[in-house]
Amino acid sequence: MDALLKVDRCTIRFGGLTAVSNLDMSIGNRELVGLIGPNGAGKTTVFNMITGVYQPTEGAISLNGERLNGLKPFDITARGIARTFQNIRLFVSLTVFDNVRAAFNLHLKHGPFHALTRGPKFKQEEAEIREQAMDLLKIFNLDRFQDVMCKNLPYGDQRRLEIVRALATKPRLLLLDEPAAGMNPTEKGSLMTLIEFIQEKFDISVLLVEHDMRVVMGICKRIYVLDYGITIAEGPPDQIRRDPKVIQAYLGE
Amino acid sequence: MSRARAILGIFLLFLFLFALFVERPLADNLAYYYDILINIGINIILAVSLNLVNGYTGQFSLGHAGFMAVGAYAAGSWSEHLSPSLINFLAGSNGVLTFVLKPFPFLQALPTMCADNLALVVATIFGGLLAALAGLAVGIPSLRLRGDYLAIVTLGFGEIIRTLILNIDFLGAARGMSVTGRYTNMFWTFGIAAVAVYIVLGLVNSTYGRGFLTVRDDEVAAEAMGINTTKYKVIAFVVGAFFAGTAGSLFAHYTGFLTPEGFNFFKSVDVVVMVILGGMGSTTGVILAAILLTILPELLRGLAHTDFVPVFQKAIEGVVPIHLPPLQGLLENRLILYSLLLIIMMLTRPQGLFGDIAGSRKRVASSPAK
Amino acid sequence: MAQVILFLQQLLNGLSLGSIYALIALGYTMVYGVLRFINFAHGDVYMLGAYAGFAITNVIYTIIPLDQYNAISRHTFIPIFVCTAIVMLGAMIFCAILGMSIERIAYRPLRDRPRLTVLITAIGVSLFLQNMTQFFVGAQPQAFKQLIPVRAIEGLGDLTVLSSQAAIIISTIVLMVFLRLVVMKTKIGLAMRALSVNPTACSLMGVNNGLVISFTFALGSALAAAAGILVAMDSPSINPLMGNLQGIKAFVAAVLGGIGNINGAVVGGLIIGVLETLVVGYSNELTTLFPALHYLFPEGVSQFRDAISFAVLIIILLFKPTGIFGRVEREKV
């Protein structure tokens, strides 16, 4: 299987602390992969490495064979990796619609000059973006909130809005950081269906960090388990569920 | 947006006719009010351009006066040395326009008027471009820095620009520079203000322009969504500097005399107060604030000349036996009033009149750079 | 040998100057340490310290005119020392209260707001203090009356050390030792250090954050007041805007040392002081090396020396913004 994302023996050290050690990860096309581990295991750090927020101290990360090391975050997003955040980071002064619209900047064909002259091409592109943004919002049932300030949305909707925003960048790989946090069981169920749906519809791969085992085991085809920055297990859900090292990491001796 | 364009067009046409027929008499007979109007226009340009940087993009710049100075001195120098030739070429005794319009004696004032206006436009564009270049030079190294530090560095650069001018003999140094061509009129002042407003609003209210706001709201998230935050910051800075430069040019061609002291940190604070009062991120707000803060000192000065304050002061001195200097001076001291205004506003209504300060998120401290 | 003496002389002058910067820089750095905010108004607290000292000195002069003393000797030492101590302590107490009041009134209500809001407030406070002072005492510089007779100290050969410089250096050392004792050995000093690392944990551990912050402001302001008095010994002209330039230079010193780091503020202050003195002292040699300098600063020395701090600031912020001792604090993503 040709890997979409390849993480080769990546290590990241902050001063004296090794947050992630010798991580080997590969995600193929249209794969739904999970990343789990106790708190502090380094999962968000892995996300930050892949998206360029931190540079790995050692090792290489590549997307479709192209090396990502040293690139700035917006460059990496431009190459097709998008993410959500553990603590919601929406654009608080913007409406729901504008949050999504802002993410279309990446693929904008017309720049500031056209924004000023407002010719027909500009208007057409703005109309297209509006349509695409509304379509995305509709999928997530957020279209009725389009002019609401995003900070006024209920928590669960804000989390889903972050996903919509990330999808607006037209990624090949979507990193979701605890998307189900703070949701009730029904919401989590819908989220699971939603994630599988967007994977199909947008033909993307998803790397999911999540604490809720039902969600992870339910939709992920493969799971990596991290503990203190080290990969302690990797494989399909059934195998992980029974792995003694995993059980020990979560429950102790 | 074409309706806005129509409105803009009508407005400019009105201004043009106004400038042609009404302006001269107004300037001569009602000089005081004319003065206030021109200053309102210049302040609108300054406030709207700074709002793009501070308000929409969230980059706290304290050096706007420096860019205004670059524009003023550049345009002033241009006019002193190059405009006369241009004007002579067009409207002199052997000028092109004079020649063309010879058969129309009732239009004999037209060549000079056209030449003057053209000289102003050319000088102003030159001033704006030079200021924009200064903006680029200052912006590129500074915009990597976080909030407080960006403020200090822009303050520093503003002072450096002022100190440089103070030391350049060609620009008059401490003696100041006179600008003999007093070409500024209401048409260009409000015209350029209208253009500034159009550009800022047009930029920001587009998908492209939403990018500026994301830089203000959350840079990390913006970068994660593929937005090149540095590019946006630099663009905002350069556009802001350009218009500050044009305001400087208009100022130079209005007052006719420039000194480096007129473009010091306090001048930057002047503009910052307008932006904050108006509400960072609201163009309407800052326009209103600019108008208000141009008129207010005049009103207060008027109040200072009435008997109100002396009576009040006598009452206090009757109770508390200390000798105070004449308290009317407080009313005329813009800096004391503005500083109080800043403090009170931050405590009671930091979003200003119309704005909303983004982020109830308390920014956790990090290092000066990112 | 003469070159060496000259260099040592410059070094000494620089240390004296740097001590002043260090004292003021400490205020910036301590406040930044506990609140993560640049107290724009700190330079003006320094200015008001000088004015407070000025007022107290004038009162003392009605009882003992200190300018009757021409030299420090066994007889004159006690009255001079006592009076100077009174002036210093008086100014320090005044500024401590001033600093705490400013914090209470203008900064504390904004503790949960974005940092930008407080910065703007600080600018407002700074301008307000400067201009109100100017309004009430006038823009003209005032002459600070003599506290100690300024004479060269005997017996040092070719080296000229003024009594005022000695006083500055000795006082600074005393104050540093005092500060270190407070920060390292007292409970409140511990609380200050803890607060600069993690305010939330502190309040959870029962620390009264507000009290510690007030104390920090009081300490920093008192040190600035001391600096104001010491400066006045050396150059007795004070004016309402004197806080601006010294404030910026001290701020640069704090950033150079690593803002938030107390040792850094001292080291930074001394470095800037020495650098400034050396550059000015060897300005002829430098202008020979870099002729452009003469064109840029035809008015000469004083503009040159002020520009140094700005240049240092820009260089640090471009290349090593965390300063000498600073730690990089990453924003948690």
Side-chain angles (χ1 to χ4, degrees), chain C residues 297-320:
Chain C
F297 301 99
E299 302 293 321
V301 166
S302 67
Q303 280 171 333
F304 204 16
R305 88 193 264 184
D306 297 341
I308 294 169
S309 312
F310 277 123
V312 170
L313 178 68
I314 291 172
I315 292 174
I316 314 169
L317 287 179
L318 289 182
F319 295 107
K320 191 161 185 356

Side-chain angles (χ1 to χ4, degrees), chain C residues 163-211:
Chain C
S163 49
S164 52
Q165 289 178 318
I168 291 175
I169 294 181
I170 295 174
S171 307
T172 307
I173 294 177
V174 168
L175 288 167
M176 295 290 113
V177 168
F178 169 71
L179 183 71
R180 190 164 182 85
L181 280 174
V182 168
V183 169
M184 290 296 169
K185 302 273 188 227
T186 63
K187 253 168 78 169
I188 199 157
L190 180 63
M192 272 171 67
R193 281 181 285 143
L195 203 61
S196 74
V197 176
N198 192 331
T200 326
C202 270
S203 58
L204 289 175
M205 292 292 118
V207 171
N208 183 342
N209 284 14
L211 199 67

Side-chain angles (χ1 to χ4, degrees), chain A residues 77 89 93 98 105 116 118, chain B residues 198 202 207 210 216-217 224:
Chain A
T77 310
R89 295 182 86 121
S93 73
D98 272 341
N105 257 294
L116 292 174
R118 307 252 154 171
Chain B
Y198 177 77
T207 302
R210 298 285 99 180
R216 176 185 71 182
D217 283 351

Side-chain angles (χ1 to χ4, degrees), chain B residues 60 141 144 148-149 152-153 155 160 164 167 266 276 280 324 326 335-336 339-340 346 350 359 365-369, chain C residues 36 38 40 110 113-114 116-117 120-121 124 127-128 131-132 135-136 251 259 296 298 303 314 317-318 321 329:
Chain B
F60 196 53
R144 308 181 298 153
D148 312 21
Y149 290 89
I152 301 273
V153 168
L155 192 164
I160 287 178
L164 281 174
N167 281 301
F266 301 138
I276 290 178
M280 308 219 272
L324 295 169
L335 282 168
I336 294 185
S339 52
L340 264 178
M346 287 299 110
S366 49
S367 64
Chain C
R36 293 291 183 278
I38 301 173
F40 230 93
L110 302 174
R113 306 278 195 79
L116 190 61
T117 314
I120 295 171
T121 310
L127 288 173
F128 182 73
N131 286 287
M132 277 304 249
F135 181 74
F136 282 109
F251 172 70
I259 193 144
L296 276 176
Q303 280 171 333
I314 291 172
L317 287 179
L318 289 182
E329 283 175 43

Side-chain angles (χ1 to χ4, degrees), chain B residues 2-25:
Chain B
S2 61
R3 192 173 50 139
R5 268 207 269 205
I7 294 177
L8 191 68
I10 294 174
F11 177 64
L12 287 174
L13 183 65
F14 170 72
L15 266 183
F16 183 66
L17 293 171
F18 178 83
L20 227 43
F21 299 112
V22 183
E23 188 153 359
R24 267 300 108 205

Side-chain angles (χ1 to χ4, degrees), chain A:
Chain A
M1 174 186 61
D2 230 0
L4 174 65
L5 177 79
K6 213 164 174 339
V7 178
D8 261 318
R9 300 183 60 85
C10 271
T11 303
I12 185 163
R13 281 183 266 268
F14 296 112
L17 177 71
T18 307
V20 173
S21 177
N22 280 320
L23 178 69
D24 273 319
M25 187 188 277
S26 90
I27 300 175
N29 288 309
R30 273 174 160 247
E31 261 210 298
L32 222 174
V33 178
L35 177 60
I36 65 176
N39 269 320
K43 309 186 290 293
T44 302
T45 311
V46 172
F47 268 27
N48 287 334
M49 268 202 297
I50 296 174
T51 54
V53 177
Y54 302 145
Q55 296 302 323
T57 322
E58 285 162 25
I61 305 177
S62 54
L63 187 72
N64 273 327
E66 191 187 349
R67 201 175 148 96
L68 297 181
N69 288 50
L71 289 180
K72 307 203 76 177
F74 71 87
D75 272 326
I76 293 183
T77 310
R79 279 164 177 67
I81 301 181
R83 70 172 293 179
T84 64
F85 294 90
Q86 196 172 12
N87 299 313
I88 298 179
R89 295 182 86 121
L90 290 171
F91 300 127
V92 287
S93 73
L94 298 181
T95 59
V96 166
F97 176 72
D98 272 341
N99 262 277
V100 180
R101 182 192 188 195
F104 276 95
N105 257 294
L106 186 57
H107 300 285
L108 209 53
K109 287 192 287 283
H110 300 109
F113 184 69
H114 299 269
L116 292 174
T117 51
R118 307 252 154 171
K121 282 200 295 196
F122 171 82
K123 292 204 213 264
Q124 188 192 358
E125 191 174 12
E126 290 284 312
E128 275 169 17
I129 289 175
R130 172 163 282 271
E131 208 187 300
Q132 290 174 29
M134 289 307 289
D135 282 343
L136 273 177
L137 286 171
K138 246 186 264 248
I139 296 174
F140 284 74
N141 212 4
L142 291 171
D143 52 313
R144 58 216 155 101
F145 292 133
Q146 59 165 300
D147 288 321
V148 175
M149 294 301 285
C150 68
K151 59 180 182 243
N152 293 334
L153 279 187
Y155 178 81
D157 287 336
Q158 285 189 21
R159 279 222 167 266
R160 293 182 316 133
L161 179 58
E162 256 209 340
I163 302 177
V164 179
R165 187 180 65 170
L167 284 173
T169 62
K170 304 192 174 108
R172 302 287 316 281
L173 170 65
L174 181 62
L175 306 179
L176 298 176
D177 203 340
E178 302 192 29
M183 288 188 182
N184 64 47
T186 324
E187 288 172 319
K188 288 188 188 182
S190 330
L191 184 70
M192 287 164 68
T193 323
L194 203 51
I195 295 177
E196 285 177 319
F197 172 70
I198 57 179
Q199 198 202 2
E200 283 290 317
K201 180 166 167 67
F202 294 102
D203 191 19
I204 57 178
S205 300
V206 175
L207 178 61
L208 176 68
V209 162
E210 196 30 80
H211 276 302
D212 187 324
M213 287 305 139
R214 193 171 64 95
V215 172
V216 177
M217 303 290 176
I219 54 177
C220 295
K221 298 293 169 288
R222 264 193 312 132
I223 300 174
Y224 289 85
V225 187
L226 225 56
D227 193 20
Y228 289 112
I230 303 172
T231 316
I232 58 173
E234 186 232 317
D238 285 328
Q239 181 186 325
I240 297 294
R241 213 194 305 267
R242 291 190 294 254
D243 189 314
K245 282 194 298 243
V246 176
I247 298 172
Q248 183 187 343
Y250 272 97
L251 298 178
E253 286 281 359

Side-chain angles (χ1 to χ4, degrees), chain B residues 148-229:
Chain B
D148 312 21
Y149 290 89
L150 178 65
I152 301 273
V153 168
T154 48
L155 192 164
F157 273 118
E159 286 298 290
I160 287 178
I161 290 176
R162 193 180 60 83
T163 311
L164 281 174
I165 293 176
L166 200 58
N167 281 301
I168 297 180
D169 217 50
F170 174 71
L171 296 176
R175 306 182 307 272
M177 177 168 96
S178 25
V179 180
T180 40
R182 312 276 278 267
Y183 311 134
T184 301
N185 56 37
M186 285 231 264
F187 173 68
W188 288 111
T189 310
F190 284 97
I192 293 180
V195 169
V197 171
Y198 177 77
I199 288 184
V200 169
L201 282 180
L203 264 186
V204 169
N205 290 327
S206 65
T207 302
Y208 175 83
R210 298 285 99 180
F212 291 109
L213 300 172
T214 65
V215 172
R216 176 185 71 182
D217 283 351
D218 193 325
E219 275 189 57
V220 172
E223 290 250 334
M225 296 303 123
I227 292 170
N228 184 343
T229 55

